[in-house]
């Protein structure tokens, strides 16, 4: 059965392991990331293809790693009608959510007589998106990344997604989903080599200004090494979730939702946090029953992650449960309590907050439209979900009229003198004589 950990009885070491989740393992693969990135930086396509052949598929060449127009065309005809219908609805909802995020292109306001300030918003010119692959493809993840970039107006969008061992991306979903957002630069590359190619640029893969997208611990290690070379976006590593429950929570629903993120992979972290011993014990029982209904390979993912990083945390009160949630700062948070809206104000750190028994993480991942690319590893304390803002940059604007210049010149001269920047002060005093 899924383990139940009493918070009051956990050792400091046990608690630290749970809170750090799979991020604990990233340090071990940093040397591999450094090796691959250095090779690609020094030799370009030669190093890229060497590692693509080693980690992606043996037949990789500079000529065949890009998805061709023929593959895009083929993808449109391979999707079953009911799946196409589902992807269409997801596309519409995701696009609507992100279009509502768009700020005005420019604003300028008079903050004092003759002093105007504001911002100009422009899209980042080139972005690289990493769409992971497990046992299959993730069209939802392709939509979650490409749509906000498209809505933001990014000029060049480059996508990398891992191929299968024959060198093919899933024949329908990634190409179809990317093309719906107007993206045609899709490369069959995975892991460290994909991120390095986009960050550094090669003869085959364009260099970008920013990377974003969820990764395994290898991709997370690559981002850490590439930090400072390129904007690596939010830390989005192995999946994680907390289901917050009270004594009114249906333990079957809690058990079902506990397994949503657990099945992503053996390094996923899934927790049920509750102060109700009854809910904890029953949810553990039902989770065990539901595990038996999963395919063996998904069941093994769940069991490995739940044993290593997850399980059920039993607290002494709802207040202590909320404190644990805020300390943990989960990627996904489901609030399955009696009155979830009442608790929203108390949740400080979470990538997304899903309220009530009709809002499982599955619905948010696929259909609601909110972005499912979220900060992991506790970074929900300072990072936000992927949005159009990830693909926009702000330039501050200032404009002074003669009256505005008169109002700030003395302050500017005084502070320039105090900080010993004579050229700064001279630009004020001389200008006053010249104009």
């Amino acid at each position: 059965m899924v383990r139940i950990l009493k918070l009051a009885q956990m050792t400091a070491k046990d608690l630290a392991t749970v809170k750090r989740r799979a991020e604990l393992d990233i340090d071990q693969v940093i040397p591999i990331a450094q090796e691959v990135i250095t090779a690609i930086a020094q030799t370009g396509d030669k190093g890229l293809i060497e590692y693509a052949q080693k980690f992606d598929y043996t037949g990789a060449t500079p000529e065949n790693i890009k998805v061709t127009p023929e593959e895009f065309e083929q993808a449109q005809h391979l999707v079953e009608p009911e799946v196409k219908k589902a992807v269409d609805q997801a596309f519409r909802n995701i696009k609507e959510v992100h279009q509502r995020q768009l700020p005005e292109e420019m604003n300028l306001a008079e903050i004092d007589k003759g002093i105007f300030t504001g911002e100009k918003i422009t899209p980042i010119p080139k972005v690289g998106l990493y769409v992971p692959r497990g046992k299959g493809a993730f069209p939802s993840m392709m939509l979650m990344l490409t749509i906000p970039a498209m809505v933001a107006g990014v000029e060049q969008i480059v996508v990398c997604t891992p191929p299968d061992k024959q060198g093919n991306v899933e024949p329908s979903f990634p190409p179809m989903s990317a093309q719906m957002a107007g993206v045609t630069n899709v490369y069959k590359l995975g892991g460290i080599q994909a991120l390095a190619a986009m960050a550094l640029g090669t003869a085959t893969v364009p260099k970008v200004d920013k990377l974003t997208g969820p990764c395994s611990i290898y991709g997370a290690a690559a981002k850490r090494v590439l930090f400072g070379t390129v904007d690596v976006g939010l830390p989005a590593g192995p999946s994680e979730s907390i289901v917050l429950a009270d004594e009114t929570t249906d333990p079957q629903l809690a058990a079902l939702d506990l397994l949503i993120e657990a099945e992503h992979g053996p390094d996923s972290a899934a927790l049920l946090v509750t102060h109700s011993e009854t809910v904890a014990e029953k949810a553990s029982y039902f989770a065990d029953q539901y595990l038996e209904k999963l395919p063996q390979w998904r069941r093994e993912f769940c069991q490995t992650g739940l044993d290593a990083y997850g399980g059920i945390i039993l607290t002494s009160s709802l207040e202590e449960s909320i404190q644990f949630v805020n300390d943990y700062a989960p990627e996904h948070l489901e609030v399955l309590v009696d009155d979830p809206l009442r608790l929203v104000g108390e949740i400080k750190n979470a990538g997304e907050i899903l309220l009530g028994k009709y809002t499982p993480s599955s619905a948010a991942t696929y259909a609601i439209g909110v972005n499912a690319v979220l900060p992991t590893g506790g970074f929900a304390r300072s990072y936000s979900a992927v949005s159009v803002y990830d693909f926009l940059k702000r330039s501050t604007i200032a404009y002074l009229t003669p009256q505005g210049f008169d109002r700030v010149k003395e302050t500017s001269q005084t502070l320039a003198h105090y900080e010993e920047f004579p050229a700064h002060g001279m630009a004020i005093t001389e200008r006053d004589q010249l104009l």
Side-chain angles (χ1 to χ4, degrees):
M1 294 176 68
V2 175
R3 64 178 181 168
I4 299 176
L5 303 169
K6 292 186 177 181
L7 185 60
Q9 298 175 5
M10 292 176 70
T11 67
K13 181 179 179 181
D14 290 340
L15 191 58
T17 299
V18 166
K19 288 186 176 180
R20 287 194 65 188
R21 44 280 213 195
E23 298 290 326
L24 197 65
D25 301 324
I26 290 178
D27 291 343
Q28 301 174 18
V29 298
I30 289 288
I32 300 172
Q34 187 67 68
E35 173 191 316
V36 175
I37 291 167
T38 298
I40 294 173
Q42 293 177 347
T43 65
D45 270 354
K46 181 177 181 297
L48 172 61
I49 297 305
E50 175 187 342
Y51 285 101
Q53 291 174 349
K54 182 176 180 179
F55 295 125
D56 290 325
Y57 64 106
T58 56
T61 69
E63 293 73 31
N64 67 14
I65 60 173
K66 186 175 182 182
V67 175
T68 64
E70 292 74 23
E71 288 173 299
F72 277 110
E73 178 64 25
Q74 181 188 36
Q76 297 298 325
H77 303 291
L78 291 175
V79 184
E80 297 172 356
E82 63 271 21
V83 178
K84 181 67 163 62
K85 181 180 178 182
V87 172
D88 284 344
Q89 184 186 25
F91 180 92
R92 290 194 304 272
N93 287 353
I94 296 167
K95 184 178 178 183
E96 177 67 21
V97 166
H98 291 85
Q99 281 182 325
R100 288 172 179 266
Q101 295 172 349
L102 274 174
E104 57 182 324
E105 188 174 331
M106 191 178 82
N107 61 78
L108 200 61
E110 189 174 20
I111 65 163
D112 197 358
K113 293 179 180 178
I115 304 174
F116 294 84
T117 65
E119 290 183 328
K120 184 180 187 303
I121 310 296
T122 53
I124 296 172
K126 304 174 186 177
V127 299
L129 309 177
Y130 185 76
V131 179
R133 175 194 178 99
K135 289 279 187 177
F138 299 125
S140 60
M141 195 60 62
M142 184 72 79
L143 295 175
M144 292 290 181
L145 291 168
T146 56
I147 291 173
M150 172 196 71
V151 170
V154 174
E155 292 178 12
Q156 185 174 23
I157 303 172
V158 179
V159 173
C160 284
T161 190
D164 61 22
K165 292 303 179 183
Q166 287 70 50
N168 302 309
V169 292
E170 185 77 17
S172 55
F173 298 133
M176 181 196 72
S177 301
Q179 198 168 32
M180 289 175 74
V183 178
T184 57
N185 284 330
V186 180
Y187 295 85
K188 307 171 197 177
L189 294 167
I192 300 168
Q193 60 275 16
L195 294 165
M198 291 188 288
L200 302 169
T202 74
T204 302
V205 181
K207 185 181 187 302
V208 301
D209 302 306
K210 179 173 183 173
L211 297 173
T212 197
C215 305
S216 67
I217 59 171
Y218 291 95
K223 286 183 178 181
R224 191 175 292 181
V225 174
L226 289 166
F227 180 81
T229 300
V230 67
D231 182 342
V232 297
L234 81 168
S239 189
E240 59 188 50
S241 68
I242 285 181
V243 177
L244 177 62
D246 64 9
E247 67 279 357
T248 70
T249 303
D250 184 335
Q252 289 185 259
L253 288 179
L256 283 168
D257 294 354
L258 177 65
L259 301 183
I260 293 174
E261 299 307 318
E263 74 170 342
H264 272 263
D267 52 1
S268 296
L271 292 166
L272 168 62
V273 179
T274 184
H275 63 282
S276 170
E277 192 166 352
T278 300
V279 170
E281 290 174 352
K282 289 184 176 180
S284 177
Y285 168 79
F286 286 122
D288 193 52
Q289 305 305 304
Y290 290 131
L291 277 168
E292 293 302 316
K293 297 183 178 183
L294 299 178
Q296 181 180 353
W297 58 281
R298 288 291 184 193
R299 185 165 66 247
E300 289 175 354
F301 281 176
C302 290
Q303 290 170 333
T304 301
L306 287 168
D307 288 344
Y309 313 109
I312 299 172
I313 303 293
L314 184 60
T315 67
S316 62
S317 65
L318 180 58
E319 291 72 24
E320 189 175 45
S321 294
I322 294 169
Q323 183 60 54
F324 181 89
V325 168
N326 285 327
D327 289 344
Y328 189 94
E331 176 188 17
H332 305 273
L333 173 65
E334 284 193 31
V335 184
L336 292 185
V337 302
D338 181 43
D339 186 3
L341 286 169
R342 181 178 63 84
L343 291 187
V344 174
E346 299 180 48
I347 304 300
K348 307 300 182 185
N349 303 319
E352 70 174 0
I353 304 170
L354 306 175
L355 302 175
K357 58 188 177 183
Y358 294 104
T359 319
S361 183
S362 312
T365 296
Y366 295 122
I368 296 174
V370 294
N371 206 292
V373 183
L374 304 161
T376 63
F379 283 100
R381 293 184 189 89
S382 56
Y383 283 85
S384 307
V386 164
S387 68
V388 293
Y389 305 116
D390 286 274
F391 303 102
L392 299 172
K393 51 190 175 65
R394 300 185 301 272
S395 301
T396 55
I397 299 175
Y399 169 67
L400 295 177
T401 66
Q403 184 183 24
F405 178 73
D406 286 341
R407 293 182 73 83
V408 300
K409 66 182 181 182
E410 184 176 344
T411 295
S412 302
Q413 288 171 335
T414 299
L415 291 176
H417 175 73
Y418 180 79
E419 293 186 358
E420 298 183 353
F421 284 107
H424 283 59
M426 186 166 58
I428 300 294
T429 56
E430 295 294 324
R431 176 175 269 91
D432 203 20
Q433 300 298 320
L434 292 170
L435 295 178

